[in-house]
């Protein structure tokens, strides 16, 4: 159940008004061999190395890179379920712990979809940080759940068991949970994986609707074309940040070669083809 309710539930940490929404300073993470996610300064498996960047309020950032690049590790650091071996992670000027403004949608493979819970119950889980543990939701909380489901066009699914939904519907429900949480920073780990184009467009329609609210969104994805066309900036990651800028500055042959290595091949001087095994095939990127 802890994986299913992957969110911060501790009470309010103050926001510094002059601080960026998200800032990492010289962050490195190394895992211990056979340590089941344990990190150590002497860990053998380097996941992230000397990562530094800032993200401002309302930005939509695509985090891209090959399998094993550290995308999921980065998100766990921001949420606060993983501590860096060195460096700082700050949300509005403070470490992740104590923030209820961070919403995290893990990869669908990490969620137990057979768990007997309805859609409206999943969305109500987003209210835990506001209500407090072991307290009953009030009318206002249920009204927020209803309004959040309406915003993602899922109100008609409220009484359904979460496992009965399609992949696209499940992702919209988890965005509704973030809305009910009143999240200001939304992290989504591979939310587009396995979705057809109409369902992907439905997700982006919902994300577009969050812009007036100033919600900052980070999405891990393997789809470079979507990352280029639907995001403000792109972070190209492979244990360290290869490039972090607008897509036209990031998607250069040199950057892609550095990030993807042998999985990248040039095609007639007009572009590159990535043959990343984790992406399930070929992906062409214009040069």
């Amino acid at each position: 159940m802890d994986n299913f309710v992957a969110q911060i539930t501790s009470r309010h940490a103050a926001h510094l008004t002059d601080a960026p929404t998200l800032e990492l300073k010289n962050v490195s993470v190394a895992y211990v061999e056979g340590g089941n996610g344990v990190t150590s300064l002497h860990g053998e498996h380097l996941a992230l190395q000397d990562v530094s960047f800032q993200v401002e309020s309302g930005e939509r950032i695509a985090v891209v890179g090959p399998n094993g690049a550290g995308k999921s590790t980065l998100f766990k650091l921001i949420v606060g379920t993983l501590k860096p071996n060195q460096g700082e992670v700050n949300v509005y000027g403070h470490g992740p712990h104590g923030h209820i403004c961070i919403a995290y949608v893990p990869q669908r493979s990490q969620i137990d979809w057979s768990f007997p819970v309805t859609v409206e119950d999943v969305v109500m889980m987003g209210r835990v940080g506001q209500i407090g543990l072991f307290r009953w939701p009030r009318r206002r909380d249920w009204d927020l759940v209803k309004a959040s489901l309406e915003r993602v066009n899922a109100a008609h699914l409220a009484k359904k068991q979460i496992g009965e939904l399609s992949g696209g519907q499940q992702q919209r429900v988890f965005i509704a949970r973030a809305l009910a949480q009143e999240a200001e920073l939304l992290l989504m780990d591979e939310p587009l994986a396995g979705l057809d184009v109409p369902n992907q467009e439905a997700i982006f329609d919902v994300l577009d609707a969050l812009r007036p609210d100033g919600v900052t969104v980070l999405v891990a994805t393997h789809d470079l074309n979507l990352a280029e066309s639907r995001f403000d900036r792109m972070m190209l990651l492979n244990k360290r940040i290869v490039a972090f800028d607008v897509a036209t500055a990031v998607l250069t042959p040199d950057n892609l070669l550095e990030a993807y290595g042998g999985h990248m091949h040039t095609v007639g001087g007009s572009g590159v083809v990535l043959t990343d095994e984790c992406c399930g095939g070929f992906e062409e990127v214009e040069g």
Side-chain angles (χ1 to χ4, degrees):
M1 186 63 179
D2 288 341
N3 286 337
F4 191 79
V5 193
Q7 61 178 333
I8 301 300
T9 57
S10 52
R11 301 293 285 178
H12 309 265
H15 290 183
L16 300 182
T17 56
D18 59 345
T21 297
L22 174 64
E23 183 176 26
L24 271 68
K25 299 179 181 178
N26 307 114
V27 168
S28 295
V29 176
Y31 290 103
V32 175
E33 177 73 37
N36 294 322
V38 175
T39 62
S40 168
L41 286 173
H42 306 291
E44 297 90 346
H45 297 288
L46 188 66
L48 292 173
Q49 181 178 16
D50 199 26
V51 170
S52 298
F53 66 89
Q54 290 186 4
V55 176
E56 300 299 334
S57 176
E59 283 196 282
R60 193 156 79 194
I61 306 296
V63 182
V64 301
N67 196 29
K71 298 186 291 293
S72 294
T73 296
L74 175 64
F75 281 9
K76 290 175 183 177
L77 287 168
I78 297 169
V79 172
T81 58
L82 184 68
K83 293 183 178 180
N85 301 122
Q86 63 183 37
E88 294 182 23
V89 180
N90 290 315
V91 177
Y92 292 105
H94 297 284
H97 292 289
H99 284 285
I100 60 172
C101 65
I102 308 169
Y104 173 50
V105 181
Q107 294 182 22
R108 293 183 66 249
S109 61
Q110 298 176 4
I111 298 173
D112 180 6
W113 298 109
S114 66
F115 195 84
V117 65
T118 65
V119 164
E120 64 182 2
D121 289 334
V122 170
V123 179
M124 180 57 77
M125 291 174 187
R127 297 296 302 157
V128 171
Q130 300 284 353
I131 298 170
L133 290 173
F134 310 116
R135 294 184 180 179
W136 293 103
R138 294 168 294 180
R139 172 64 65 86
R140 177 179 180 273
D141 299 304
W142 285 111
D143 287 345
L144 278 170
V145 166
K146 181 180 178 181
S148 298
L149 284 169
E150 288 174 348
R151 285 192 66 180
V152 302
N153 299 315
H156 61 292
L157 304 173
K159 300 298 182 181
K160 285 187 173 290
Q161 196 270 336
I162 189 68
E164 296 175 358
L165 308 186
S166 69
Q169 289 171 334
Q170 289 168 344
Q171 294 293 357
R172 297 208 310 272
V173 167
F174 273 90
I175 296 175
R177 189 187 71 177
L179 292 172
Q181 183 180 330
E182 301 178 73
E184 298 173 58
L185 176 59
L186 174 59
L187 311 175
M188 304 183 73
D189 196 351
E190 300 290 349
L192 308 175
L195 301 186
D196 58 19
V197 172
N199 273 305
Q200 289 182 359
E201 288 299 320
I203 297 298
F204 280 113
D205 287 344
V206 173
L207 294 180
D208 288 342
L210 298 182
R211 285 192 183 275
D213 299 330
V215 178
T216 305
V217 180
L218 274 70
V219 174
T221 179
H222 284 294
D223 193 323
L224 298 183
N225 292 316
L226 277 177
E228 179 180 15
S229 62
R230 304 302 295 264
F231 291 83
D232 302 320
R233 290 195 289 164
M234 180 188 299
M235 179 186 298
L236 183 56
L237 185 70
N238 191 354
K239 302 184 187 294
R240 65 179 190 82
I241 295 179
V242 176
F244 185 25
D245 206 332
V246 296
T248 52
V250 171
L251 293 177
T252 67
D254 286 345
N255 286 340
L256 293 171
L257 180 61
E258 184 173 348
Y260 289 90
H263 296 295
M264 191 195 86
H265 306 279
T266 59
V267 179
S270 61
V272 298
V273 170
L274 301 179
T275 56
D276 188 6
E277 294 174 0
C278 66
C279 303
F282 298 87
E283 182 169 8
E284 186 169 351
V285 182
E286 295 297 325

